[in-house]
Amino acid sequence: MDVEQIPLHFGQHAVDALTHVNLSAVRTDGPCLWIAGDETATVERLTADGTGYGKHITFHLADVLTLPGGPEDEVDVEGLARRGPYLWAIGSHSSRRKRIKAKHDGDKAVRRLAQVTDEPSRRIVARLAIADGPDGLPTIVPETPGGHTSALLPGGITGILADDPHLAPFLAIPGKDNGLDVEGVAVHGESLYLGLRGPVLRGWAVVIELLPYLDKARDVLKLASLDGDGTVYRTRFLDLDGLGVRDLCPAGTDLLVLAGPSMDLDGPVRVYRWHDALDGDAPRIVRAPALRRELDLPFGDGDDHAEGIGLLDEHRLLVVYDSPAATRLIEPGTVLADVVTL
């Protein structure tokens, strides 16, 4: 596998927030990259600067949306998708179990492991309006001059899954325990595709298709019926060799699927190509030859977790990492991303 590395330069405010070492999503947009970290309530924009990407700008989601938590509550953005006048951002929707840290032992450690928190701030499906700024670069705004508005899907997707025969039992389980954990998003036409890191069901990963639209009276997103019978979502099940979805990236009518373990493990990490996933008639059970293992990505021992992919061109894929290895942190505020050849 051919691997090139390019630097991503972040401003001091993002370094202070540790955004550059918690990257969870990336999307290309002309000369720009949209990037998210999973510990903030922001979206970052980097612009090509000759050697890599820099000229860092941060956009606070609370400036354009009324978030379900406080304006600074961690949103845990795990996926970004760009199409037309919008950038889509998806939260993990997952509950969280407390960690046992090195300083914890005995009864205190046991008690922490029993503590699970449900965080509404993570349950966002956000459509962010994009307009050209004074410098001609894409900017997140509440409303564009053409009337396109930023909006949220109230409550995210957990409500619609409450009676789902496959996913409902996992809604209360923390994401790192193979519970519900959204970690990828792609958009094609009017359809939104959400990839689940968990649950993985007897080795099958899950992708959810939605058809969101704007309720102009309430200025919020709603979900249209997919089949004319009131069904507002559709599930598809992918044979990713037991792995869950870490990101989704459109490539024509195909979807590139970044796959990794659903649990808190280092690897394996792979990219699959889901042929004709976006043509509207993809089957609900997806296996070879419709699903092809494209390449294997490197992973570390406790670090270098591939979390986001974005196409730079037809043959080159950008990969960003959560918990990057020390060798990727070449100077303060700069982290190396990988560019791999498909």
Side-chain angles (χ1 to χ4, degrees):
M1 178 180 65
D2 295 329
V3 180
E4 174 191 357
Q5 292 190 314
I6 59 173
L8 308 179
H9 306 289
F10 291 86
Q12 186 59 47
H13 61 287
V15 176
D16 294 340
L18 301 179
T19 301
H20 68 308
V21 294
N22 288 291
L23 302 182
S24 57
V26 64
R27 237 353 143 253
T28 55
D29 189 1
C32 298
L33 297 180
W34 294 106
I35 289 184
D38 59 10
E39 302 288 337
T40 69
T42 63
V43 173
E44 322 301 323
R45 191 194 71 198
L46 302 181
T47 304
D49 61 7
T51 60
Y53 290 86
K55 306 174 185 177
H56 176 211
I57 298 291
T58 291
F59 297 91
H60 294 266
L61 297 180
D63 289 344
V64 299
L65 298 168
T66 301
L67 298 174
E72 300 300 326
D73 284 4
E74 175 191 315
V75 171
D76 197 20
V77 173
E78 291 286 355
L80 297 170
R82 177 76 165 95
R83 186 173 176 86
Y86 299 114
L87 176 72
W88 292 83
I90 183 75
S92 67
H93 286 70
S94 64
S95 56
R96 180 163 62 177
R97 188 181 303 280
K98 282 207 169 184
R99 298 181 183 183
I100 298 178
K101 299 181 180 179
K103 64 182 180 180
H104 299 136
D105 206 353
D107 290 343
K108 184 173 183 178
V110 172
R111 287 195 300 270
R112 285 183 66 87
L113 204 56
Q115 296 176 31
V116 175
T117 56
D118 184 24
E119 301 178 5
S121 57
R122 292 173 167 227
R123 295 197 295 267
I124 71 160
V125 176
R127 190 190 71 175
L128 306 171
I130 300 293
D132 289 340
D135 55 5
L137 297 176
T139 302
I140 296 173
V141 295
E143 184 173 357
T144 71
H148 303 288
T149 59
S150 295
L152 279 173
L153 177 67
I157 64 169
T158 51
I160 65 171
L161 301 178
D163 296 318
D164 185 88
H166 300 99
L167 301 176
F170 296 89
L171 296 182
I173 300 174
K176 297 301 187 290
D177 296 351
N178 198 41
L180 180 72
D181 193 355
V182 184
E183 284 217 3
V185 60
V187 60
H188 181 75
E190 302 299 319
S191 293
L192 200 66
Y193 298 83
L194 308 183
L196 305 189
R197 174 176 176 172
V200 173
L201 305 175
R202 195 66 185 261
W204 293 85
V206 184
V207 171
I208 299 172
E209 182 184 356
L210 308 170
L211 196 60
Y213 70 95
L214 182 68
D215 180 348
K216 294 183 179 180
R218 298 173 55 209
D219 204 27
V220 297
L221 298 178
K222 295 182 70 174
L223 297 177
S225 173
L226 289 169
D227 301 309
D229 61 357
T231 302
V232 296
Y233 71 97
R234 183 183 295 119
T235 49
R236 292 188 174 89
F237 302 90
L238 282 62
D239 182 5
L240 301 179
D241 301 308
L243 302 175
V245 177
R246 293 294 184 89
D247 201 5
L248 299 171
C249 180
T253 59
D254 297 345
L255 270 180
L256 299 175
V257 182
L258 176 64
S262 65
M263 310 293 278
D264 193 11
L265 300 170
D266 289 321
V269 184
R270 299 167 182 159
V271 175
Y272 293 79
R273 183 180 291 271
W274 179 4
H275 292 281
D276 299 323
L278 305 174
D279 72 356
D281 294 316
R284 293 192 66 193
I285 296 295
V286 186
R287 52 165 70 94
L291 197 60
R292 186 183 76 212
R293 183 167 158 183
E294 189 98 339
L295 52 86
D296 287 39
L297 293 175
F299 58 91
D301 183 3
D303 57 24
D304 263 3
H305 301 145
E307 289 282 347
I309 55 175
L311 278 174
L312 294 175
D313 57 42
E314 185 179 354
H315 300 292
R316 295 189 305 147
L317 189 69
L318 178 71
V319 185
V320 299
Y321 293 82
D322 189 6
S323 302
T327 53
R328 293 187 183 275
L329 303 172
I330 57 175
E331 59 186 45
T334 299
V335 61
L336 294 175
D338 288 346
V339 177
V340 297
T341 301
L342 294 171

